[in-house]
């Protein structure tokens, strides 16, 4: 057995994997797997519709919003969003809090005019911007933020006030980790492979009015309206990934819903942050306390060699996936919804013990 702290693809609830395994050879008496079934079948349509409906319920949105299951990862959204919603002679504002928001800005910049309305880069991306350091355009096409920066371990705990400007958020690494009123967002998107299911599907939740505002001059496959009109069945969808998302959404319900998960996620993260803060400087947390991520906890040891020794010892003890992103190094513990409190307590104990043996 291992404790899986991978950043994504990442740990899935064992109950979800077990149900998928049990249904793999014979889905609901059809004599075949979801993997082998037409996406136009009644069975898959039910999976697709149920997953969409559950997501809308969790996010508190009504029929003025559309849930889409797309492919191409969150990275394709970096391009699709400006293609659909950034017309000539308008600008898109970006709040930069780490590598993913930088990438989103760079990609949108190939399509139209973009500007950084705030950036915490100068401080090494250790916080989200405070209200005083956000300078929004008067009438941007939209404002884009990254709710949780997976690489730097920085997360919004309060949403910035953008007035009536359309707000778009990349929620790849913290969607459904806490209650969310999605009505304040024009569009949110998330690669599924962290909190929602496996890789291969991207969830988009968008206001229908926004979707309908896009020009018809862009290729059909890249237009949200195409997928909305077809109920995410325009072309062959990532059907097995959507099925696993559906099982994961049911698991969230069984686990007590978003309030219960948020409480558990707070307690999980506190165990690791306490191990960092109680180490007398042996571990140095990257994010400043007020912007600490509850999903991706990033920290360093005194030297890259010490980090290598720590990671090797952790791996040997069954704590896997703890290496920081290759672009920044260090250590990163990803504590998505499926990671248990016990797993976090075990890692915290290991970290405490490691300090004792090395100092
Ligand atoms: C916040 C965030 N945005 C975007 C991405 C890119 O996602 P994908 O690999 O699905 O394109 C990631 C991947 O880890 C991420 O964490």
């Amino acid at each position: 057995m291992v404790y899986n702290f991978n950043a994504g693809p990442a740990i899935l609830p064992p109950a979800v994997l077990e149900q998928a395994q049990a249904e793999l050879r014979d889905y609901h008496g059809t004599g075949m797997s979801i993997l082998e079934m037409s996406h136009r079948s009644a069975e898959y349509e039910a999976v697709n519709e149920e997953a969409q409906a559950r997501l809308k319920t969790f996010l508190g949105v009504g029929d003025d919003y559309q849930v889409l299951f797309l492919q191409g990862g969150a990275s394709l959204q970096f391009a699709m969003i400006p293609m659909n919603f950034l017309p000539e002679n308008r600008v898109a504002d970006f709040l930069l809090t780490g590598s993913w928001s930088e990438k989103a800005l760079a990609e949108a910049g190939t399509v139209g005019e973009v500007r950084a309305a705030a950036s915490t880069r100068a401080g090494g991306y250790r916080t989200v911007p405070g209200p005083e350091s956000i300078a929004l355009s008067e009438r941007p096409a939209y404002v884009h933020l990254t709710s949780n920066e997976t690489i730097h371990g920085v997360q919004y705990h309060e949403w910035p006030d953008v007035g009536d400007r359309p707000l778009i958020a990349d929620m790849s690494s913290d969607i459904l980790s806490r209650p969310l009123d999605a009505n304040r967002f024009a569009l949110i998107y998330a690669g599924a492979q962290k909190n929602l299911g496996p890789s291969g599907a991207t969830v988009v939740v968008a206001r229908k009015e926004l979707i309908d505002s896009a020009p018809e001059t862009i290729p059909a496959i890249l237009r949200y309206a195409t997928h909305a009109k077809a109920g995410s069945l325009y072309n062959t969808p990532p059907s097995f990934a959507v099925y696993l998302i559906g099982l994961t959404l049911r698991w969230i319900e069984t686990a007590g819903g978003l309030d219960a998960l948020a409480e558990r996620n707070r307690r999980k993260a506190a165990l690791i942050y306490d191990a960092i803060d109680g180490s007398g400087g042996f571990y140095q947390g990257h994010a400043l306390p007020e912007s600490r991520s509850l999903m991706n906890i990033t920290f360093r040891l005194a030297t890259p060699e010490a980090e290598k020794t720590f990671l090797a010892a952790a791996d040997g003890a069954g704590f896997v996936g703890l290496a920081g992103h290759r672009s920044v190094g260090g250590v990163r513990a990803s504590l998505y919804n499926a990671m248990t409190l016990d797993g976090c307590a075990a890692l915290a104990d290991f970290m405490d013990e490691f300090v004792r043996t090395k100092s």
Side-chain angles (χ1 to χ4, degrees):
M1 187 205 124
V2 296
Y3 293 108
N4 180 357
F5 290 96
N6 275 310
I11 184 170
L12 289 168
V16 165
L17 295 176
E18 279 155 20
Q19 186 170 349
Q21 185 178 41
E23 294 179 338
L24 192 61
R25 294 300 302 274
D26 183 8
Y27 181 77
H28 293 196
T30 55
M32 66 183 91
S33 158
I34 284 273
L35 284 164
E36 304 165 288
M37 194 179 284
S38 168
H39 58 288
R40 309 275 173 207
S41 64
E43 286 79 11
Y44 182 71
E45 285 203 3
V47 165
N48 185 34
E49 276 166 28
E50 186 185 320
Q52 290 181 27
R54 272 220 163 76
L55 266 167
K56 282 173 79 171
T57 305
F58 280 136
L59 297 173
V61 293
D63 288 339
D64 48 339
Y65 278 78
Q66 177 92 34
V67 172
L68 302 173
F69 297 119
L70 305 179
Q71 301 186 61
S75 300
L76 182 58
Q77 296 308 303
F78 294 168
M80 260 176 90
I81 290 166
M83 288 174 90
N84 281 262
F85 308 128
L86 180 53
E88 265 178 43
N89 67 45
R90 298 289 295 278
V91 64
D93 280 357
F94 284 76
L95 310 185
L96 302 185
T97 49
S99 304
W100 290 115
S101 41
E102 274 188 7
K103 279 204 166 165
L105 176 143
E107 192 74 327
T110 67
V111 176
E113 192 186 338
V114 292
R115 62 180 282 274
S119 173
T120 55
R121 183 186 178 133
Y125 288 136
R126 289 154 66 89
T127 83
V128 300
E132 69 296 340
S133 53
I134 299 177
L136 297 171
S137 303
E138 192 61 31
R139 218 177 124 261
Y142 57 85
V143 180
H144 180 282
L145 63 78
T146 307
S147 58
N148 181 68
E149 283 282 356
T150 323
I151 294 177
H152 295 85
V154 166
Q155 185 178 28
Y156 285 91
H157 297 294
E158 262 175 54
W159 303 119
D161 180 7
V162 299
D164 57 4
R165 301 166 183 87
L167 183 57
I168 292 184
D170 175 359
M171 295 198 179
S172 292
S173 49
D174 68 352
I175 191 166
L176 301 193
S177 67
R178 54 186 175 179
L180 172 76
D181 177 9
N183 291 288
R184 63 185 300 155
F185 295 88
L187 182 151
I188 64 181
Y189 63 98
Q193 64 270 19
K194 300 167 200 297
N195 258 342
L196 290 177
S199 60
T202 310
V203 169
V204 173
V205 183
R207 251 180 229 146
K208 285 182 177 162
E209 200 182 73
L210 179 74
I211 290 176
D212 292 340
S213 72
E216 290 184 6
T217 46
I218 47 182
I221 187 74
L222 296 173
R223 237 183 293 145
Y224 292 100
T226 306
H227 298 282
K229 211 154 91 195
S232 293
L233 292 170
Y234 169 66
N235 65 327
T236 314
S239 47
F240 198 70
V242 172
Y243 158 69
L244 284 174
I245 290 172
L247 295 185
T248 305
L249 295 172
R250 281 196 211 171
W251 171 82
I252 293 176
E253 217 160 85
T254 316
L258 298 184
D259 285 315
L261 281 183
E263 174 56 22
R264 195 170 78 132
N265 286 333
R266 268 193 297 275
R267 291 169 60 203
K268 283 156 48 183
L271 289 167
I272 310 299
Y273 283 120
D274 284 351
I276 293 171
D277 295 340
S279 71
F282 186 93
Y283 304 114
Q284 292 143 30
H286 176 75
L288 297 184
E290 66 275 13
S291 295
R292 282 176 160 179
S293 170
L294 303 188
M295 292 284 101
N296 309 98
I297 299 186
T298 49
F299 58 97
R300 308 217 66 120
L301 278 69
T303 62
E305 292 69 42
E307 286 163 353
K308 229 168 127 184
T309 309
F310 173 83
L311 290 169
D315 196 74
F319 302 99
V320 303
L322 285 170
H325 190 268
R326 62 190 187 285
S327 61
V328 294
V331 184
R332 169 176 58 177
S334 298
L335 316 181
Y336 301 124
N337 283 343
M339 172 50 67
T340 61
L341 196 61
D342 285 352
C344 295
L347 176 60
D349 286 347
F350 172 83
M351 288 170 66
D352 290 346
E353 187 56 30
F354 190 81
V355 176
R356 271 194 292 279
T357 57
K358 296 292 169 194
S359 51

